[in-house]
Amino acid sequence: MLSLDDARALITKGHASADSLKVNVCMAVVDPSGSLIAFDRMDRAPYGCVDAAIAKAKSAALFRVKTSVNMQRVNGDEPAIASIPHMVPLGGGVPVTNNDIVVGAVGVSGATNAMEVKIAEAMVAGYGVIPTK
């Protein structure tokens, strides 16, 4: 299980990544059930990114898959999955794993999709292995 200190550390890594990209984003960290542990909205981040970051984190936790995978599925042969509750078909949500067990997830919103994915993956890098499925 992610602790509050773990969640804060993940957000700190997100700040560093966002700063390097010169973007202002919202970052959420949730537990495996999708419940919020920690949240941060950087100065000048769009207000609309608050709910989006939380939704991406929740989706990654509940489905145990990066939300960018959902985006590929929706843009491919499975557009109907976008109608499943809590399924977010946009990049920026990444599960956090420990010994191949999902212990939570992060969500990032407020920049381009590619930047959000990069920041979310930087947040979890080193914590555990990022699932690819």
Side-chain angles (χ1 to χ4, degrees):
M1 203 69 163
L2 290 175
S3 68
L4 180 57
D5 287 340
D6 291 333
R8 288 178 175 155
L10 292 168
I11 287 174
T12 297
K13 289 174 75 174
H15 269 273
S17 181
D19 288 344
S20 74
L21 295 170
K22 298 180 178 13
V23 295
N24 297 293
V25 296
C26 293
M27 295 169 279
V29 181
V30 300
D31 67 16
S33 74
S35 294
L36 190 63
I37 299 172
F39 178 84
D40 190 82
R41 181 180 160 269
M42 296 175 72
D43 292 341
R44 295 180 307 281
Y47 298 114
C49 72
V50 172
D51 291 333
I54 295 168
K56 289 177 183 185
K58 184 172 189 166
S59 181
L62 292 176
F63 293 100
R64 297 184 169 113
V65 66
K66 293 190 269 186
T67 57
S68 58
V69 171
N70 298 337
M71 185 171 75
Q72 292 169 354
R73 291 175 67 192
V74 166
N75 289 334
D77 295 334
E78 302 176 88
I81 69 162
S83 65
I84 297 171
H86 308 297
M87 176 68 66
V88 176
L90 299 167
V94 178
V96 179
T97 63
N98 187 4
N99 294 321
D100 295 325
I101 297 170
V102 174
V103 295
V106 301
V108 177
S109 184
T112 66
N113 184 67
M115 289 179 179
E116 292 167 354
V117 169
K118 187 172 186 173
I119 295 165
E121 290 184 353
M123 289 172 75
V124 303
Y127 189 92
V129 178
I130 302 170
T132 56
K133 13 178 173 166

